[in-house]
Amino acid sequence: MGINKPQIGVLAVQGAFIEHERILKSLGAEAFEIRQLRDLDRHLDGLVLPGGESTVQGKLLHDLGLFEPLRKKIVEGLPVLATCAGVILLAEKIAGENKAHFATLPAIIRRNAYGRQLGSFFTENEVAHVGKVPQTFIRAPFFESVGEGVEVLSRTASSNTADAPEQIVAVRYKNQIALSFHPELNSDTSIHRYFLKLVG
Amino acid sequence: MADQNRYELNKNLAQMLKGGVIMDVTTPEQAKIAEAAGAAAVMALERIPADIRAAGGVSRMSDPKMIKGIQDAVSIPVMAKCRIGHFAEAQILQAIEIDYIDESEVLSPADDIFHINKREFDVPFVCGAKDLGEALRRIEEGASMIRTKGEPGTGDIVQAVRHMRLMNQEIARISSMREDELFNRAKELQVSYDLVRFVHDHKKLPVVNFAAGGVATPADAALMMQLGAEGVFVGSGIFKSGNPAKRAAAIVQAVTNYTDAKLIAKLSEDLGEAMVGINEQEIALLMAERGK
């Protein structure tokens, strides 16, 4: 990680951003909140797009003037860790909807893919380059398909039904790591360590 | 029967709602307006609290068909209210796969002693509280989210402020207690030692805590956030006002940037008329006194 702490901006317009900050700080990174445009004045080594409600976050990104500057940074290669709602912000296409948000990740994502809250579940599974990690899915999306150059990091079956098919729940595309589940809700820090390695 | 995993998942959903605004809606059209304005979730109910207050009489769980209409209209989580202690209403709400049940003092209580045993349910529950004891008792019963009771349907923030401050003071007091004092405090609060111990060690509730009851303006929302609320419920404040869509969007932004007074000043311009409101001295029915 070098002498200087990596500076990680955590999108903090709505959702579970404090949980990410806590883990990043425990790993020796500097985490700060992005709530409005002036928060982008400082140097940024990485970006976290946390869980929450993607409709709310998407709207606030525009209302607060954050959308274009953040999209530009992602396109230019800023390392990004996106979880749940954050993945919906990144995906090029949202199944069944005409609108996308940043659209920087060549993939089709399905929102609330496991149904309502009763479909939320917890399991443990392998993630490529990382190992076995706890996976908490809260009204989670999954990837229906991914485009060229997108590496699938994890396929997981919902534990709700015995014969549930495996779905793509974690991918990496260049500078973007996108997870349907919430590594910030467990004490395991291996996903965040993997992200900080990408940050350099 | 809910297991520990399910309870964690339900607390996790509340974490995802943090920094958000949950809005009362009575029709699919209102639900769409709320979602477009940036609501993190909607609360489906037949009448908003101000109208329940005006109409009087017994108020109950909403028609499941109306709730389903709202579930179909939006993609964000949908909550609905059942009466305090009315576990059969809660069973019905679980059967239609509601995302969160509010066992709420806004409706007429069905039981004047017992709350619902929320541990028996797979769907999550949010409950109102006006002090730490009430909050912890609801959590003991299985609530995975707490909100201040405030005084619903009044547009008067004074009670929500009182409840939030009281909870914070009681949490601070427990945090500074000697360990041997915690046992007695648990007895006084009528909750388990483990819960009191958690508050002592973490200086917070074990679940997410929102503000509710009387929020009518962006400034009200910012006030509650600065007092430590992790998000805000807005009931009558939006759809009883002059321009619901604009007011809703302004409150959403105020919750995100609750310390930026310049921004909130701008957000507060030209919102049209706020709900008229009733002062606490003018109301005959104190809903916050229901369910202790």
Side-chain angles (χ1 to χ4, degrees), chain A residues 3-22:
Chain A
I3 302 163
N4 296 321
K5 284 184 171 185
Q7 307 287 309
I8 310 295
V10 181
L11 183 68
V13 293
Q14 189 273 328
F17 44 86
I18 292 164
E19 291 80 351
H20 279 288
E21 291 166 36
R22 224 172 268 145

Side-chain angles (χ1 to χ4, degrees), chain B residues 4-289:
Chain B
Q4 191 55 31
N5 240 345
R6 183 53 53 188
Y7 184 55
E8 286 303 318
L9 293 168
N10 288 340
K11 285 200 288 185
N12 291 158
L13 176 57
Q15 284 174 273
M16 295 305 139
L17 296 171
K18 281 189 301 183
V21 181
I22 299 168
M23 304 182 193
D24 277 2
V25 298
T26 58
T27 62
E29 292 68 40
Q30 286 186 354
K32 281 184 185 155
I33 292 171
E35 184 178 47
V42 290
M43 176 77 69
L45 70 177
E46 218 130 46
R47 283 188 299 219
I48 55 174
D51 290 335
I52 291 175
R53 198 173 274 290
V58 175
S59 62
R60 313 178 175 87
M61 179 191 78
S62 297
D63 181 341
K65 188 174 169 188
M66 167 270 191
I67 298 170
K68 282 196 267 184
I70 288 170
Q71 285 176 316
D72 291 339
V74 295
S75 63
I76 54 179
V78 177
M79 304 181 164
K81 290 181 194 291
C82 73
R83 285 179 266 177
I84 289 174
H86 206 316
F87 51 84
E89 282 186 350
Q91 288 162 358
I92 292 168
L93 292 174
Q94 174 161 276
I96 62 170
E97 298 199 13
I98 203 76
D99 290 301
Y100 240 100
I101 296 176
D102 185 357
E103 186 185 16
S104 177
E105 68 282 2
V106 170
L107 306 183
S108 307
D111 195 314
D112 53 7
I113 299 174
F114 301 106
H115 280 73
I116 295 171
N117 176 4
K118 293 165 275 288
R119 298 180 182 211
E120 281 192 335
F121 288 79
D122 285 325
V123 291
F125 279 81
V126 55
C127 287
K130 59 180 169 11
D131 54 40
L132 184 65
E134 285 188 4
L136 293 180
R137 288 195 288 278
R138 298 298 85 77
I139 294 166
E140 193 100 83
E141 294 155 4
S144 49
M145 181 178 185
I146 292 293
R147 53 171 177 76
T148 59
K149 283 178 170 173
E151 195 51 35
T154 61
D156 187 359
I157 198 69
V158 65
Q159 307 232 20
V161 168
R162 188 182 299 149
H163 300 162
M164 188 59 77
R165 278 193 189 271
L166 182 55
M167 253 188 262
N168 289 342
Q169 286 161 4
E170 291 178 305
I171 289 171
R173 194 172 147 228
I174 285 183
S175 306
S176 63
M177 276 182 173
R178 280 168 54 95
E179 278 186 30
D180 55 6
E181 295 168 347
L182 297 177
F183 298 97
N184 188 56
R185 191 69 189 126
K187 265 189 289 182
E188 289 168 353
L189 294 175
Q190 303 169 44
V191 295
S192 68
Y193 167 76
D194 289 346
L195 275 181
V196 173
R197 180 72 209 223
F198 183 98
V199 173
H200 175 266
D201 292 353
H202 297 83
K203 300 182 170 49
K204 66 185 286 297
L205 291 180
V207 303
V208 167
N209 187 14
F210 270 46
V215 177
T217 66
D220 288 346
L223 174 68
M224 296 311 300
M225 292 298 288
Q226 289 189 39
L227 285 173
E230 295 178 279
V232 171
F233 283 84
V234 188
S236 318
I238 289 175
F239 288 100
K240 274 284 163 193
S241 74
N243 188 343
K246 193 172 179 192
R247 181 169 294 269
I251 292 176
V252 168
Q253 278 203 53
V255 166
T256 297
N257 283 295
Y258 59 89
T259 56
D260 187 340
K262 268 191 186 155
L263 177 70
I264 297 170
K266 216 172 95 198
L267 293 170
S268 304
E269 284 180 11
D270 290 327
L271 288 182
E273 227 163 294
M275 72 176 288
V276 176
I278 336 166
N279 290 311
E280 72 169 324
Q281 297 82 1
E282 300 165 356
I283 50 177
L285 172 67
L286 267 181
M287 290 175 173
E289 291 306 316

Side-chain angles (χ1 to χ4, degrees), chain A residues 1-196:
Chain A
M1 240 179 262
I3 302 163
N4 296 321
K5 284 184 171 185
Q7 307 287 309
I8 310 295
V10 181
L11 183 68
V13 293
Q14 189 273 328
F17 44 86
I18 292 164
E19 291 80 351
H20 279 288
E21 291 166 36
R22 224 172 268 145
I23 294 182
L24 290 165
K25 284 176 186 164
S26 79
L27 294 174
E30 181 73 38
F32 64 94
E33 295 180 355
I34 301 171
R35 291 176 183 267
Q36 47 181 279
L37 199 51
R38 66 162 180 243
D39 297 327
L40 291 178
D41 289 346
R42 56 190 283 184
H43 173 73
L44 201 59
D45 294 313
L47 172 67
V48 171
L49 302 175
E53 277 305 318
S54 62
T55 51
V56 183
Q57 295 179 358
K59 178 174 193 298
L60 285 168
L61 282 172
H62 286 283
D63 289 351
L64 297 164
L66 287 165
F67 184 82
E68 280 306 328
L70 280 180
R71 183 170 193 280
K72 186 159 172 277
K73 284 179 191 293
I74 297 169
V75 171
E76 286 171 355
L78 180 73
V80 183
L81 173 65
T83 63
C84 198
V87 179
I88 296 162
L89 295 183
L90 289 182
E92 252 175 26
K93 185 161 172 39
I94 304 168
E97 296 182 25
N98 306 321
K99 240 177 65 185
H101 301 278
F102 291 130
T104 53
L105 174 68
I108 302 175
I109 194 87
R110 176 166 291 279
R111 293 180 60 202
N112 304 333
Y114 301 94
R116 301 184 185 282
Q117 173 61 4
L118 283 174
S120 294
F121 65 99
F122 171 84
T123 186
E124 287 182 309
N125 200 9
E126 292 289 330
V127 173
H129 315 297
V130 177
K132 195 171 187 179
V133 297
Q135 298 185 338
T136 301
F137 295 83
I138 305 293
R139 284 173 49 96
F142 61 62
F143 293 91
E144 290 210 330
S145 64
V146 296
E148 225 175 76
V150 177
E151 182 190 3
V152 173
L153 299 178
S154 186
R155 290 174 198 270
T156 296
S158 145
S159 58
N160 289 331
T161 42
D163 54 352
E166 287 195 339
Q167 310 287 358
I168 302 173
V169 297
V171 304
R172 167 153 174 208
Y173 177 68
K174 298 180 185 168
N175 54 318
Q176 304 169 50
I177 302 170
L179 316 165
S180 312
F181 55 91
H182 293 279
E184 76 278 14
L185 295 178
N186 307 104
S187 53
D188 187 299
T189 58
S190 49
I191 293 274
H192 288 84
R193 276 185 274 135
Y194 174 59
F195 169 62
L196 288 176

